[in-house]
Amino acid sequence: MTRFKRLLVATDFSPGADRAVERAARLALQHGSEIELLHVISHQPLQMLARLAPDLMDDPEAGMLDAAETELRRVAGQWGKLRISSRAVTGVPYRKITERATEIGADLTVIGAHGRHFVKTLFSGTTMQRVARAAKGSVLIVRADGKKSYEKILAPVDFSGSSCAILEAATAIAPDATLNVLHAYDPLFEGKARYAGVSDDALAHYRKAVESEARKHMDSLIAKCLPKDSLVTRIVKRGYAPGVIEQVIQDRNVDLVVMGAQGDSEASRFFLGSVSLHVLLEAQVDVLLVRVPTAPAAA
């Protein structure tokens, strides 16, 4: 079973980062977790300060680090009951975040989202996008207010090897939440079959057979991966997966989506699946990306 015992929270002291800290603190209270707050100062503002105001500080880097460490202590002090450490460093933010998560063995990296479509700048190099791609462990991207516990979770699954890990992570992060397990199916060749003159009755029979098989897989997955007393709702819907996910988020008033990221190999972890990427772009709820180890290649 997945456990979230050590959390790394990246903060730039923005409102979005404040929400991430609050969410991490709530998780820490639930799980007895340790938290490390990390603030990374990019080299760019340091270089600009040195160029434009060379006489303002004798040592701009030391001055900014001191100020950041003071602010980190203030933020940590708001959560006196928790075990919180803090660190301020300079460097490339996403690299420092992912490196530090590996160094401390973080079970979860928590990041605050900025704005509605923060990931649309993903490939131009935003910190959050890069962390989501490059992290070796799971990443929680926080959009909503962290003042209340997660109550309704959506876990889209495709019955691949990652599905069990997704369900385990969903139940671990919020054991008391209602878990909606979703499988969206889009029958293969349906469009071509219709074009070829296959009757509506035959297509309806085909869709029913595909749905029936999906429900059997769903029952088997839940029985295998979740405790018998889990509060689970099964959802099997036909349609394009990203669109179905969006609709279910709205219909079920979901406050967290748990999805699989790519594996932990050097090649695969720099990519997000198309469905996961779509949810990151469009969903207005928190998203937990579960890093699932890839199976070793056959010799």
Side-chain angles (χ1 to χ4, degrees):
M1 178 67 75
T2 303
R3 292 288 184 269
F4 300 105
K5 292 300 185 183
R6 184 165 294 173
L7 312 180
L8 179 68
V9 187
T11 178
D12 59 3
F13 309 123
S14 66
D18 290 343
R19 289 192 291 272
V21 173
E22 188 159 25
R23 173 57 63 190
R26 180 165 292 277
L27 291 173
L29 287 170
Q30 293 173 332
H31 295 271
S33 312
E34 298 178 7
I35 295 176
E36 179 170 304
L37 301 177
L38 178 66
H39 178 75
V40 183
I41 300 172
S42 173
H43 291 306
Q44 185 175 1
L46 290 173
Q47 293 168 351
M48 185 176 295
L49 188 62
R51 180 169 59 86
L52 298 180
D55 299 325
L56 189 62
M57 291 182 180
D58 291 335
D59 188 345
E61 180 173 330
M64 293 184 77
L65 284 171
D66 285 344
E69 288 168 354
T70 298
E71 182 64 9
L72 285 169
R73 287 193 294 270
R74 183 194 68 78
V75 173
Q78 297 175 340
W79 304 95
K81 295 181 179 180
L82 298 176
R83 292 172 293 171
I84 302 182
S85 60
S86 61
R87 171 181 295 245
V89 298
T90 60
V92 179
Y94 90 91
R95 289 179 180 164
K96 291 297 183 179
I97 293 168
T98 54
E99 286 171 4
R100 187 58 183 166
T102 300
E103 287 171 1
I104 68 173
D107 301 301
L108 185 67
T109 300
V110 185
I111 313 171
H114 297 255
R116 173 172 169 78
H117 290 302
F118 75 93
V119 189
K120 285 191 176 177
T121 55
L122 200 69
F123 297 106
S124 63
T126 68
T127 297
M128 286 172 289
Q129 161 64 18
R130 288 174 177 258
V131 171
R133 287 190 293 158
K136 293 183 178 180
S138 296
V139 178
L140 176 63
I141 298 171
V142 178
R143 285 188 179 276
D145 193 322
K147 288 185 171 64
K148 67 174 187 175
S149 299
Y150 293 126
E151 297 177 352
K152 297 178 181 178
I153 298 177
L154 177 63
V157 295
D158 59 4
F159 307 135
S160 68
S162 65
S163 296
C164 226
I166 291 169
L167 297 189
E168 290 176 353
T171 55
I173 199 167
D176 298 325
T178 298
L179 177 57
N180 299 277
V181 183
L182 168 67
H183 177 71
Y185 69 96
D186 197 1
L188 296 174
F189 313 121
E190 184 173 327
K192 292 183 178 179
R194 186 181 297 277
Y195 180 76
V198 176
S199 70
D200 289 342
D201 287 345
L203 286 174
H205 179 77
Y206 172 56
R207 285 195 295 265
K208 187 175 181 179
V210 172
E211 179 175 343
S212 177
E213 185 171 352
R215 291 190 180 279
K216 289 178 182 178
H217 282 302
M218 176 78 77
D219 290 342
S220 176
L221 176 70
I222 290 172
K224 174 185 176 183
C225 303
L226 295 178
K228 291 182 179 180
D229 59 350
S230 299
L231 186 56
V232 179
T233 298
R234 297 160 170 80
I235 307 171
V236 176
K237 293 179 71 71
R238 181 170 67 95
Y240 177 57
V244 171
I245 292 169
E246 285 186 54
Q247 190 61 54
V248 173
I249 289 172
Q250 296 176 21
D251 292 346
R252 302 291 176 115
N253 197 25
V254 167
D255 47 25
L256 173 67
V257 179
V258 181
M259 305 191 71
Q262 295 286 355
D264 63 356
S265 70
E266 289 298 323
S268 70
R269 74 170 184 266
F270 281 88
F271 299 94
L272 292 174
S274 59
V275 176
S276 296
L277 180 57
H278 183 97
V279 173
L280 283 174
L281 285 168
E282 301 299 337
Q284 293 305 294
V285 297
D286 293 1
V287 178
L288 172 60
L289 291 172
V290 180
R291 186 71 62 183
V292 181
T294 51

